[in-house]
Every structure is written in structure tokens, then in C-alpha cells.
Amino acid sequence: LSELTPNEAVLLVDARGRRHLVRLRPGGSFHSHSGIVEHDRLIGRPDGVVVRSTGGARYVALRPTLAEFVLEMPRGAQIIYPKDLGAILMLADVYPGARVFEAGVGSGALSLAMLRAGAEVVGYELRPEFAAVATANVAAMGLEQRYRVEGRDAYLGIEERSLDRVVLDLPEPWRMVSHAEQALRAGGVLVAYLPTINQTAELRQALSVSSFGLAETVEVLERHWHVEGRSVRPDHRMVAHTGFLTSARLLEKER
Ligand SMILES: C[S@@+](CC[C@H](N)C(=O)[O-])C[C@H]1O[C@@H](n2cnc3c(N)ncnc32)[C@H](O)[C@@H]1O
């Protein structure tokens, strides 16, 4: 669908590239220091339409990509950034119909990426206020049909069985290794995102004495470039560190 519709999330990008995420509502309006944009001037118009506010400021209205939505959406907990989300989809080999367990759910950025890739996601999240943020973010992208979040402590166990994937973003994933052994089908994949290498080493140790094999750890470095006329060079600043990604496969126990 190329026209913007009521209730969808739309990104308004101003002349300086600043982004504002708005949910389109009939009769609604977006207010900024440079005046007002009525939502009714966007509803029914093509994705990418250019409008002016009552104060004359120029805005491009775009349906956000998943990466844009994740960066602008409301947050409870810190999110996983798009560069890592893309890598996690490959490492966890998330496919349409895959049954994925996720913990903790946080703001739902990782949930959104996996749902978009076609997975069925069951998430455990300790904090109800974060679970509510994640659920609302997933609904704003229209992906709630294949999503369920439970307010539970994942360290106490995973109730689901025959899962295809277990994807973790919580502080002590080594406490999840035996739970994942129970809950995953043979050949299933576990992926964990961790901010520090000490935590990663502790996870790798736990995996090394488990039924998981083929363990790997990677980090993703992304360098943006400044491209303007004859000045073409890497940006001066870059995000030097986000997290380490560890993956492993559940193998059959040797008899
Ligand atoms: C960094 S956030 C996850 C962010 C999420 N991956 C995203 O991209 O939006 C970590 C979450 O794990 C939750 N958490 C921590 N320990 C947990 C546990 N034992 N069981 C369930 N959730 C837990 C926290 O409440 C927090 O919301």
C-alpha cells in the first residue's frame, strides 16, 4: 500500500534530518516550534509526501523502516540497535514460522525484528511496565498476531517445548543454558547478546560443558561515511561498542 493510513506510525523528517514519530489519527495534529501539521493532510497521501507546517517548515512524511521505527519508538529498557538486530537474525537463523523464545523482552526491538522475519515469538519479561511498552511497540507495527509476552522470570525455566530458537538479552544467560537444552528441539539455535566480554566468557564456559556445540562469538562494527561533494571520508565519530553476540547449536547428547 503506498498511501498513508489512519493509525499507522509515520516518521516526519524536517529539513535538518530530525525525526519525529507520530501515530496518524483522523483530526489529530503534530505540533512543533515551527507550527502545526494536521494528520488529515497526510492520511491518504503517498508514502514520502512533502508537507509544510503552518509556520512554513518542510517535512517529509514516511512510513518508517523497521530500523527507523526501532530507533524512534518509545523505550523502557535499552534496545538492541539495528546493526546487531540484522546480525542476530542471521546467527539465530530466524525464518517464517520459526518458534522462538525470547528473554528479556525489554522495549521489543529484538521482538520486532524476529516477528518481521516471520517468527512466532513467546517472550518472558520480569518487569510488567517494559512488557507493556514492548507489546504496544509491536502492535504499532501491526505484528501482534504472532506475539505473546508473559510476566515471568526466565531464570526459573522455559515452559515451552520443541522450540526452534532461544534468543536472549538478559544479564546472566548462562543461567538459561540448561533451560534451553530442555526447551529447544535438536539442532535448535541459541543466541545471546551481552554487553561485556566477561559475561560472554561466562556464557561460553557454561555452553562448553553443555549439549550445545558449534559455539561462536562475534561483534559487529559499523562505520558510517560522510559523503558531501569532494569530501568523502569516514565519519569522525562512531559507535565503538554495543555488545557481543554468541551463538550455539543444540546437538544430540553422546551416548
Ligand atoms: C536490555 S533489555 C532487553 C532489550 C530488548 N532486547 C530490546 O531490543 O528491546 C533486558 C531486559 O531483560 C529483563 N530481564 C532481566 N532479567 C530477566 C529475567 N530473569 N527474566 C525475564 N526478563 C528479565 C529486564 O527487565 C529488561 O527488560
Side-chain angles (χ1 to χ4, degrees):
L1 190 68
S2 72
E3 281 83 38
L4 303 175
T5 57
N7 274 323
E8 78 173 301
V10 166
L11 206 59
L12 290 176
V13 186
D14 71 15
R16 289 186 175 177
R18 277 181 306 222
R19 289 141 186 260
H20 309 269
L21 191 67
V22 299
R23 189 93 178 254
L24 291 184
R25 303 208 183 281
S29 52
F30 165 74
H31 293 251
S32 75
H33 58 278
S34 59
I36 295 169
V37 177
E38 306 285 352
H39 292 191
D40 289 334
R41 291 180 51 216
L42 303 173
I43 294 169
R45 302 295 305 285
D47 188 4
V49 65
V50 176
V51 289
R52 294 210 175 252
S53 70
T54 50
R58 182 180 185 276
Y59 289 96
V60 182
L62 286 162
R63 186 171 287 147
T65 63
L66 183 61
E68 287 167 335
F69 181 77
V70 155
L71 292 175
E72 303 300 327
M73 72 187 190
R75 282 183 201 180
Q78 175 67 261
I79 62 162
I80 296 182
Y81 282 89
K83 75 172 176 78
D84 295 310
L85 293 175
I88 289 171
L89 292 183
M90 285 297 117
L91 290 169
D93 190 35
V94 177
Y95 55 87
R99 295 187 59 233
V100 179
F101 172 85
E102 183 194 357
V105 160
S107 307
L110 179 55
S111 308
L112 277 163
M114 298 195 292
L115 289 163
R116 207 12 140 62
E120 290 175 23
V121 179
V122 176
Y124 289 1
E125 171 53 56
L126 266 184
R127 296 180 55 173
E129 68 276 23
F130 291 171
V133 170
T135 307
N137 285 333
V138 165
M141 287 296 268
L143 291 167
E144 65 276 19
Q145 284 86 355
R146 287 177 276 109
Y147 193 48
R148 190 174 89 232
V149 180
E150 298 185 5
R152 294 168 73 141
D153 182 345
Y155 296 148
L156 299 180
I158 303 174
E159 198 173 301
E160 284 65 30
R161 288 292 177 267
S162 305
L163 291 164
D164 298 304
R165 309 295 184 239
V166 168
V167 182
L168 304 170
D169 179 10
L170 36 63
E172 299 182 359
W174 48 91
R175 295 173 64 182
M176 298 298 299
V177 169
S178 63
H179 301 322
E181 281 176 328
Q182 303 291 314
L184 275 171
R185 65 162 169 85
V189 181
L190 176 145
V191 170
Y193 173 96
L194 282 166
T196 76
I197 204 64
N198 320 54
Q199 289 164 296
T200 303
E202 191 149 358
L203 173 62
R204 290 296 299 264
Q205 172 57 31
L207 288 170
S208 73
V209 295
S210 75
S211 303
F212 285 93
L214 282 67
E216 283 185 32
T217 295
V218 303
E219 62 178 320
V220 178
L221 304 180
E222 181 180 89
R223 191 162 69 149
H224 288 251
W225 282 59
H226 170 93
V227 178
E228 198 177 281
R230 296 175 70 182
S231 168
V232 179
R233 53 160 176 79
D235 280 347
H236 291 135
R237 292 163 191 268
M238 79 184 261
V239 177
H241 177 66
T242 53
F244 300 99
L245 306 177
T246 297
S247 60
R249 301 276 315 256
L250 186 64
L251 310 179
E252 188 173 307
K253 284 198 179 72
E254 282 177 45
R255 292 165 222 267

